[in-house]
Amino acid sequence: MKRPSFSPLIAAIVLFCFILFIPNQYLLPMITDKKVEEEAVDLDFEIFQGEIIQKKMLESPKYLPIYGSSELSRLDTFHPSNYFKVNPIGVTPFLVGRGGMQSFVHFLNFADQKNELKHKKLLFILSPQWFYRQGATQESFSANFSTLQAYKFALEPKVSEKLQIEGAKRLLTFDVVKNDAMLATLLKAKIHKDKKTQMKAAMIKPVAILFVKVLEKRDLLHAILDVPLTTLHPQPALVKNKTWDELERNAAEMAKAKSTNNRFYIDNFYYNKRIKPKIEQLRGFRKNSSLLVSPEYQDFQMVLDVLKEAKAKPLFVSVPVNGYWYDYMGLSKKDREGYYKKIKQQIEKEGFPVLDLSSHEYDPYFLKDTIHLGYKGWLPIDKAIIEFVHKY
């Protein structure tokens, strides 16, 4: 009987150890400027959860980071990434966000990147649907949670003690964190200063540090090996050297041709797929909902606080909902207006500028569907970016 060979296993272990312990500085040169540029519109989930590419992006004056959620993936002709590809202004939008990424996910990212954010201009797009009563759900947070950023927050905090305690408490409300015994222990040690809790954290800290090294290496290897798949498709004929009036007409004409089968000015494809099959069930669906009381406000306050500590230069964008559709769903205009006012006051209280687009609720084709910017909706943001880049 032939004896089993352990050579492949031993070789794999040796290779793993070699990759793990080779100093990162020997691999970092493989993250070229071209690689960072390719990631600017790729909306790569792994990049959002990591830090290598984002650090290089933030260190370069070439990029204007735009943080948000699912609206960033609506890469239509007037989206900033396409618009400034045709009408360059010296900076390239770098998109950081996907569906389910709400304030607290961005807070963890900002806390990890605090040093690189100093004096950095950025856009932060707020979505009203973040602010329902439940705030970030267990599912949405888990799907966008960064283990690396959470461990770095626990082991190598860059924010004030106040934000460390607030962040730790909030992290411990999520199952994905509570189920990680090592991370939960480290976070509890930030909150509870008793000898027993501190001793537990001290005992597991060496293991946690080694785990972080593995996560950092994984992030680095992904950044090196990732092949971006997203390709921009700008249409110069519609946006090149056009006045804002011409751009708005072009956007409206494009949207009108694609939004012909409903009275809500919603894109046909979205309406047919997401709304039409259950249109009657959605009538009055949100009549008992509210945007005025939500844990999201405190999560967003942590975003404001960390950006203030970092001395970053953000421009916040307050996006409206589709007024026609939300009237149909029953979320009152009074409640919506209360949200727009409340979030604007919260931002301005911290001394940050806000582009308030709430007056466009009933502006046809301002949104592509019920909540996502599209067509005309990107134009005031494009315009604000030009002013923001050159004047602030």
Side-chain angles (χ1 to χ4, degrees):
M1 181 176 175
K2 187 177 180 181
R3 297 179 64 182
S5 172
F6 293 98
S7 298
L9 176 61
I10 293 171
I13 292 172
V14 171
L15 179 61
F16 172 77
C17 291
F18 174 76
I19 293 173
L20 178 60
F21 291 106
I22 186 173
N24 283 357
Q25 60 262 33
Y26 294 125
L27 297 175
L28 280 172
M30 298 178 72
I31 310 294
T32 63
D33 292 339
K34 185 175 186 298
K35 166 65 73 174
V36 178
E37 186 175 356
E38 288 173 344
E39 296 290 352
V41 297
D42 202 44
L43 296 168
D44 186 341
F45 173 54
E46 298 276 358
I47 295 301
F48 303 157
Q49 289 191 315
E51 58 180 13
I52 294 291
I53 292 289
Q54 290 195 69
K55 280 183 184 295
K56 291 211 69 168
M57 174 271 293
L58 290 170
E59 289 168 355
S60 171
K62 177 181 177 180
Y63 298 102
L64 175 71
I66 303 180
Y67 300 89
S69 53
S70 52
E71 74 284 337
L72 296 181
S73 65
R74 273 55 181 181
L75 289 161
D76 67 42
T77 304
F78 306 94
H79 185 289
S81 295
N82 273 315
Y83 180 81
F84 292 113
K85 186 78 173 177
V86 176
N87 300 290
I89 56 169
V91 296
T92 299
F94 193 105
L95 312 179
V96 183
R98 71 168 195 162
M101 285 182 68
Q102 296 179 210
S103 298
F104 192 63
V105 171
H106 287 298
F107 165 78
L108 282 178
N109 191 17
F110 290 149
D112 187 43
Q113 308 283 351
K114 180 184 173 184
N115 295 339
E116 289 73 29
L117 285 166
K118 187 174 183 180
H119 305 315
K120 184 72 177 181
K121 291 181 179 181
L122 63 95
L123 253 69
F124 191 100
I125 300 177
L126 283 157
S127 296
Q129 68 271 18
W130 296 358
F131 292 84
Y132 285 121
R133 285 193 180 97
Q134 76 275 18
T137 65
Q138 294 287 344
E139 294 76 14
S140 66
F141 180 79
S142 178
N144 291 286
F145 171 68
S146 169
T147 305
L148 173 58
Q149 291 171 9
Y151 268 89
K152 294 292 282 285
F153 180 82
L155 291 168
E156 304 172 23
K158 300 171 185 174
V159 298
S160 64
E161 185 176 3
K162 172 180 174 290
L163 277 182
Q164 288 180 49
I165 294 172
E166 288 181 11
K169 287 180 177 179
R170 183 60 169 136
L171 275 165
L172 287 166
T173 65
F174 293 106
D175 293 340
V176 67
V177 175
K178 289 188 288 187
N179 293 336
D180 184 333
M182 185 161 61
L183 177 58
T185 300
L186 293 169
L187 292 169
K188 287 174 184 175
K190 290 189 175 297
I191 304 167
H192 308 293
K193 302 303 180 182
D194 60 281
K195 189 175 180 180
K196 183 179 179 180
T197 303
Q198 294 298 314
M199 186 176 296
K200 281 184 177 179
M203 288 175 63
I204 66 170
K205 188 174 181 180
V207 180
I209 291 172
L210 181 60
F211 182 51
V212 167
K213 297 298 181 187
V214 175
L215 293 174
E216 288 177 331
K217 191 70 68 176
R218 181 182 182 277
D219 176 35
L220 179 56
L221 292 175
H222 175 81
I224 293 170
L225 299 174
D226 180 56
V227 178
L229 300 176
T230 304
T231 304
L232 288 174
H233 298 284
Q235 298 187 53
L238 294 177
V239 299
K240 181 70 172 176
N241 297 327
K242 303 293 183 184
T243 67
W244 294 108
D245 287 341
E246 289 172 329
L247 288 166
E248 188 161 326
R249 283 197 298 272
N250 290 343
E253 288 173 8
M254 176 181 282
K256 189 175 182 180
K258 295 184 178 183
S259 310
T260 59
N261 66 351
N262 63 88
R263 59 187 174 89
F264 305 108
Y265 300 97
I266 294 173
D267 182 85
N268 290 346
F269 179 80
Y270 184 94
Y271 183 80
N272 290 335
K273 185 176 181 180
R274 302 289 296 275
I275 295 176
K276 190 176 180 179
K278 49 185 178 180
I279 184 70
E280 287 305 319
Q281 297 98 299
L282 292 172
R283 187 192 299 271
F285 172 69
R286 288 293 184 185
K287 64 182 178 182
N288 296 319
S289 298
S290 176
L291 300 173
L292 295 176
V293 178
S294 172
E296 190 70 23
Y297 286 101
Q298 181 53 38
D299 289 349
F300 179 56
Q301 185 61 47
M302 283 192 280
V303 167
L304 295 171
D305 291 343
V306 72
L307 290 175
K308 201 166 186 178
E309 284 189 11
K311 295 182 172 59
K313 296 181 178 180
L315 170 62
F316 291 91
V317 181
S318 178
V319 175
V321 298
N322 182 325
Y324 302 100
W325 176 249
Y326 270 68
D327 287 345
Y328 182 84
M329 284 209 303
L331 184 62
S332 73
K333 193 171 191 303
K334 181 180 178 181
D335 189 278
R336 285 153 20 208
E337 288 176 342
Y339 156 76
Y340 299 133
K341 181 179 179 181
K342 184 174 182 177
I343 204 67
K344 187 171 186 285
Q345 289 177 340
Q346 187 175 2
I347 296 167
E348 291 181 337
K349 182 181 177 183
E350 301 304 328
F352 293 131
V354 54
L355 175 63
D356 182 6
L357 302 177
S358 59
S359 62
H360 294 278
E361 268 201 354
Y362 296 99
D363 186 351
Y365 314 123
F366 196 83
L367 301 176
K368 195 167 189 176
D369 45 55
T370 60
I371 53 175
H372 296 113
L373 288 163
Y375 306 121
K376 287 167 60 177
W378 287 118
L379 294 177
I381 295 177
D382 295 335
K383 190 175 184 179
I385 287 174
I386 295 171
E387 183 176 354
F388 184 55
V389 167
H390 291 312
K391 293 188 178 181
Y392 285 90

